[in-house]
Amino acid sequence: MSRRPRSTGRPTIADVAKAANVSAITVSRVLRTPDRVRKDTRERVEAAIKALDYLPDAAASALASKRTDVIGVVLPSVTNAVFLDTLRGIYDVAEEDNTQVQIANSRYSAEEEERLLRIFLSQKPAGLIITGIDQSNETRELLRTAPCPIVQITELGPDPIDMMVGFDHAAAGAHAARHLADQGYNRIGFLGARQDPRSLRRQAGFHQALEDIGLFDPSRVLFSTERSSVRLGGTQLEELLKADPKADAVLCNNDNLALGVLFACQRTGLDVPRRFGICGFNDVEFMAAANPKLTSVRTPRRAIGRRAMEMIKARLKDPDISFNSEDLGVTLSPRESTARTG
Amino acid sequence: MSRRPRSTGRPTIADVAKAANVSAITVSRVLRTPDRVRKDTRERVEAAIKALDYLPDAAASALASKRTDVIGVVLPSVTNAVFLDTLRGIYDVAEEDNTQVQIANSRYSAEEEERLLRIFLSQKPAGLIITGIDQSNETRELLRTAPCPIVQITELGPDPIDMMVGFDHAAAGAHAARHLADQGYNRIGFLGARQDPRSLRRQAGFHQALEDIGLFDPSRVLFSTERSSVRLGGTQLEELLKADPKADAVLCNNDNLALGVLFACQRTGLDVPRRFGICGFNDVEFMAAANPKLTSVRTPRRAIGRRAMEMIKARLKDPDISFNSEDLGVTLSPRESTARTG
DNA sequence: ATGAAAGCGCTAACAT
DNA sequence: ATGTTAGCGCTTTCAT
């Protein structure tokens, strides 16, 4: 006869409606568009919500409305502190309202990225933020037809899926290389940990800039398969000096490596900056506090996250709005570790 | 007459069913319990899924089944690298299957924590991970009746909401204090940044341990309102030496501060470890690479994250299973920065 | 400003 | 191994 009920027993919108002597839709309006409900009605409903300890069901809402407040973010790594700063920027803007940020970790794999994006898309996200420009063709296809704003962050490229904000990594690498050359170093090396597309492009910029002035030597470029660490910086300095005992400076692909190089120089007795110059990348907090203070390329990580969220929110407000690819640029923070002149 | 349709136009499970000449529930089974579908049927359905580029609707699924694969994680800060390691542990285990980790940022606020938990609960999460033991009474009430496993991480306490994994912060602080005393330091200070409950408990352990041997002096305890940084460590060292010029060691509430103290000692010409001993907290990677190598208290951050997820998964498999409060303990990593003797 | 009815896309329960 | 039916809890559409 009668079918078994399937409910949880938690109060639903109908229970609240009954308690407040209104219809379900009015409760829904109190929750989403309170301005459209008369004050006394609203107050009655709010009281009922409290009394019953009513919690809306997000799934039912999403199913009926075909939308959620979820912003999906795909990062190549959740363990890399550099992406943390971007995340902070994302949260800066997200926390202004009810936006829910959901983070997924692609571990630098394009296939994993695609899988994660499928999961996100099954949730009807309000927007998506993805890192870099090296998506698989399937992913690009998937996203082109996605019914939500999408921002590619951190890098720039010629063919945005939708919107883009970041900076030019090759230019940043070149900038740093020229700084080292300008300071009078002429046997400049490059240290990198695990290669991701952005590291490679930075190295390419470094390569080009030094080649242009006749200072490039491939034997001074070292990439490791290990993940980046302070310890690795020390190890790589040793290797560099083995490859070229007269090497007199390095551009480190990130600041951890640079700090490791500094410690190793201190241990070995290499004077920084006279005998050896050090430049890092990202300019995290400790660079300016080190002894000697470490030169680095300041990247706009937090601003990138913030801007990406702003773009999404603007688009959600006004579907006609869009943005070009935005280049937030980098600046050099020259400090003691490369102050050979002056 | 006829009501207007509301659909998105994206293929639904019914479309797939039609294309594969089966019923909707069979498609559902292919997706969730493929073993219960005959091979040729399954293959027909899978082909239809691919042909139509079908994406399941997570909201509809959640509504019908009253469950999701979401594990909600509430962290006090998404910008603090220490929580990153815990997150890494969580992902280690989450990535073994389809579990979706969702991170929320309470910014050290109990009210915000409660708000975030309400959002999570409205999504019917498979499990929840929350940091610490200082939830508001409302939050505890909310969680006690929640229909999912809950793990409190990082700290231990007497009255778990459900399950718990962490370590004893007071004991850890005491351990470090005794180490410094054992090395012959007797004017030992404590440096902390923004106070959270765990910092306070570490300081309390430090306090007690030194009091027990007659070495405690409150004028050597410094807390800042600033957030932790390497720079702040340097500033606080200055303040400590102003308060007690003969101070001869510090326990730093985290490793950033310890690194800042080291740099400041180098600048001021204080010999580490002879004139001044430094001990950090957490033992992040750079501590062992510094020059001199920095002593720290190694905390099992990644293991905590991993274990929390394991507890949740075990409970989801077998609802009768439970776990006691698990103390993962800490160990000291004694290094050059406190090697005054020997 | 408020309400009635239908339907979102899926899965639980009960068949066969 | 597969199908039928109803219903999950909300919001949309249309009406008053």
Side-chain angles (χ1 to χ4, degrees):
Chain A
M1 348 247 107
S2 81
R3 284 278 174 148
R4 62 288 111 157
R6 288 206 256 153
S7 94
T8 19
R10 282 217 51 93
T12 70
I13 208 168
D15 299 321
V16 176
K18 202 171 295 169
N21 245 302
V22 294
S23 73
I25 187 64
T26 300
V27 178
S28 175
R29 287 190 184 113
V30 167
L31 259 21
R32 296 175 306 129
T33 51
D35 314 337
R36 289 188 207 168
V37 180
R38 220 193 313 133
K39 198 181 166 211
D40 58 323
T41 318
R42 188 171 65 231
E43 283 166 355
R44 222 163 356 113
V45 171
E46 279 162 353
I49 288 174
K50 240 188 201 137
L52 296 178
D53 194 22
Y54 167 71
L55 264 178
D57 183 316
S61 168
L63 177 57
S65 69
K66 324 210 127 309
R67 35 168 266 91
T68 66
D69 295 323
V70 170
I71 303 282
V73 180
V74 182
L75 299 175
S77 162
V78 288
T79 56
N80 187 330
V82 163
F83 295 114
L84 257 196
D85 291 321
T86 306
L87 208 49
R88 204 196 309 192
I90 291 173
Y91 274 102
D92 284 345
V93 179
E95 282 167 352
E96 291 165 5
D97 56 40
N98 280 325
T99 313
Q100 280 171 70
V101 177
Q102 194 158 336
I103 298 146
N105 178 22
S106 71
R107 288 172 297 168
Y108 293 97
S109 149
E111 295 85 56
E112 181 65 5
E113 181 174 63
E114 187 182 336
R115 194 184 72 87
L116 294 168
L117 284 169
R118 281 187 190 280
I119 295 179
F120 275 145
L121 288 172
S122 81
Q123 298 184 57
K124 314 229 157 59
L128 287 173
I129 296 177
I130 62 181
T131 307
I133 58 176
D134 299 279
Q135 285 76 32
S136 70
N137 282 332
E138 288 85 359
T139 301
R140 295 183 74 85
E141 208 43 57
L142 200 65
L143 294 181
R144 287 225 187 264
T145 60
C148 69
I150 296 168
V151 188
Q152 288 165 287
I153 58 167
T154 304
E155 252 187 296
L156 301 172
D159 186 21
I161 294 173
D162 180 5
M163 301 179 280
M164 230 175 214
V165 56
F167 61 89
D168 181 333
H169 288 251
H175 191 16
R178 281 192 297 267
H179 168 72
L180 287 167
D182 287 348
Q183 295 300 306
Y185 299 105
N186 53 34
R187 302 180 78 99
I188 306 169
F190 182 97
L191 302 184
R194 208 159 39 180
Q195 306 185 14
D196 65 281
R198 289 158 292 284
S199 306
L200 291 174
R201 285 188 258 275
R202 261 128 58 181
Q203 197 279 322
F206 166 89
H207 182 149
Q208 187 62 55
L210 291 191
E211 190 122 294
D212 287 350
I213 51 177
L215 289 181
F216 183 72
D217 182 335
S219 71
R220 287 193 292 259
V221 174
L222 273 69
F223 267 106
S224 165
T225 52
E226 243 178 84
R227 51 183 299 245
S228 174
S229 67
V230 177
R231 193 196 51 67
L232 178 62
T235 311
Q236 288 192 307
L237 176 66
E238 275 181 44
E239 286 174 42
L240 174 64
L241 291 173
K242 214 171 287 169
D244 176 6
K246 291 186 177 165
D248 62 2
V250 269
L251 171 57
C252 298
N253 191 46
N254 66 56
D255 292 332
N256 277 339
L257 297 177
L259 183 59
V261 168
L262 173 61
F263 287 137
C265 285
Q266 292 175 346
R267 284 222 158 74
T268 326
L270 285 189
D271 181 273
V272 176
R274 281 181 202 290
R275 165 69 182 82
F276 202 82
I278 305 174
C279 179
F281 199 93
N282 278 324
D283 204 13
V284 303
E285 190 267 335
F286 64 65
M287 298 298 272
N291 178 45
K293 296 177 187 169
L294 291 161
T295 296
S296 195
V297 177
R298 160 152 268 154
T299 55
R301 302 181 298 286
R302 189 165 178 174
I304 287 172
R306 214 180 267 159
R307 191 71 189 120
M309 279 295 291
E310 286 170 357
M311 286 174 162
I312 288 176
K313 287 206 178 175
R315 169 77 68 76
L316 290 174
K317 254 191 202 150
D318 176 1
D320 296 329
I321 224 166
S322 195
F323 299 91
N324 297 324
S325 215
E326 289 190 14
D327 186 345
L328 265 36
V330 300
T331 54
L332 193 82
S333 299
R335 302 205 180 89
E336 295 166 355
S337 71
T338 55
R340 196 187 219 177
T341 59
Chain B
M1 349 249 112
S2 78
R3 286 277 174 149
R4 63 287 108 166
R6 288 206 259 149
S7 93
T8 19
R10 281 218 51 94
T12 71
I13 207 169
D15 299 322
V16 176
K18 201 171 298 170
N21 244 302
V22 294
S23 72
I25 189 69
T26 300
V27 177
S28 174
R29 286 187 184 116
V30 168
L31 257 21
R32 296 176 305 129
T33 52
D35 314 338
R36 290 188 208 167
V37 180
R38 218 196 312 136
K39 196 178 166 213
D40 58 323
T41 317
R42 187 172 65 232
E43 282 166 355
R44 221 162 358 113
V45 171
E46 280 163 351
I49 287 175
K50 229 174 216 150
L52 297 178
D53 193 22
Y54 167 70
L55 263 180
D57 183 318
S61 168
L63 177 58
S65 68
K66 325 209 126 310
R67 34 169 267 90
T68 66
D69 295 323
V70 170
I71 303 282
V73 180
V74 182
L75 299 176
S77 162
V78 288
T79 56
N80 186 328
V82 162
F83 295 114
L84 255 196
D85 290 322
T86 306
L87 207 50
R88 204 199 306 196
I90 290 173
Y91 275 102
D92 285 344
V93 178
E95 283 167 350
E96 292 165 4
D97 54 40
N98 280 326
T99 314
Q100 280 173 71
V101 177
Q102 195 158 335
I103 298 147
N105 178 22
S106 72
R107 288 172 297 167
Y108 293 97
S109 149
E111 296 85 58
E112 181 65 6
E113 182 175 61
E114 187 183 337
R115 194 185 72 88
L116 293 168
L117 284 169
R118 282 187 189 280
I119 295 180
F120 275 145
L121 288 172
S122 80
Q123 298 185 58
K124 314 232 158 58
L128 287 173
I129 296 177
I130 61 180
T131 307
I133 58 176
D134 299 279
Q135 284 75 33
S136 70
N137 282 333
E138 288 84 0
T139 301
R140 296 184 73 85
E141 208 44 55
L142 200 66
L143 293 180
R144 287 226 186 265
T145 60
C148 70
I150 295 168
V151 188
Q152 287 164 286
I153 59 168
T154 304
E155 252 187 296
L156 301 171
D159 186 21
I161 294 174
D162 181 5
M163 301 181 281
M164 229 174 214
V165 55
F167 61 88
D168 181 334
H169 287 250
H175 191 17
R178 281 192 299 268
H179 168 72
L180 287 167
D182 288 348
Q183 296 298 305
Y185 299 104
N186 52 33
R187 303 179 78 99
I188 307 167
F190 182 97
L191 301 184
R194 208 159 39 180
Q195 305 185 16
D196 66 281
R198 289 159 291 285
S199 306
L200 291 174
R201 284 189 258 276
R202 265 135 48 186
Q203 197 279 321
F206 166 88
H207 182 150
Q208 187 62 56
L210 291 192
E211 189 123 293
D212 287 351
I213 50 179
L215 289 182
F216 183 72
D217 182 335
S219 71
R220 287 193 293 258
V221 173
L222 273 69
F223 267 105
S224 165
T225 52
E226 244 179 83
R227 51 183 301 246
S228 175
S229 68
V230 177
R231 193 196 52 68
L232 178 63
T235 312
Q236 288 193 308
L237 176 66
E238 274 181 44
E239 286 175 41
L240 175 63
L241 291 174
K242 215 171 287 172
D244 176 5
K246 291 185 174 165
D248 62 2
V250 270
L251 171 57
C252 298
N253 192 46
N254 67 56
D255 293 332
N256 277 340
L257 296 178
L259 183 59
V261 169
L262 173 62
F263 287 138
C265 284
Q266 292 175 347
R267 284 222 158 75
T268 327
L270 284 189
D271 181 272
V272 176
R274 282 180 201 291
R275 166 65 183 85
F276 202 82
I278 304 173
C279 178
F281 200 93
N282 278 323
D283 204 13
V284 303
E285 190 265 335
F286 65 63
M287 298 297 272
N291 178 46
K293 297 177 186 167
L294 290 162
T295 296
S296 195
V297 177
R298 158 151 267 155
T299 55
R301 302 182 298 285
R302 188 165 179 175
I304 287 172
R306 214 180 267 159
R307 190 71 190 121
M309 279 295 292
E310 286 170 357
M311 286 174 162
I312 288 176
K313 288 206 178 175
R315 168 78 68 76
L316 291 174
K317 255 192 200 149
D318 176 1
D320 296 329
I321 225 166
S322 195
F323 298 91
N324 296 323
S325 214
E326 289 190 14
D327 186 345
L328 265 36
V330 300
T331 53
L332 193 83
S333 300
R335 303 205 179 89
E336 295 167 354
S337 71
T338 56
R340 197 188 218 177
T341 59

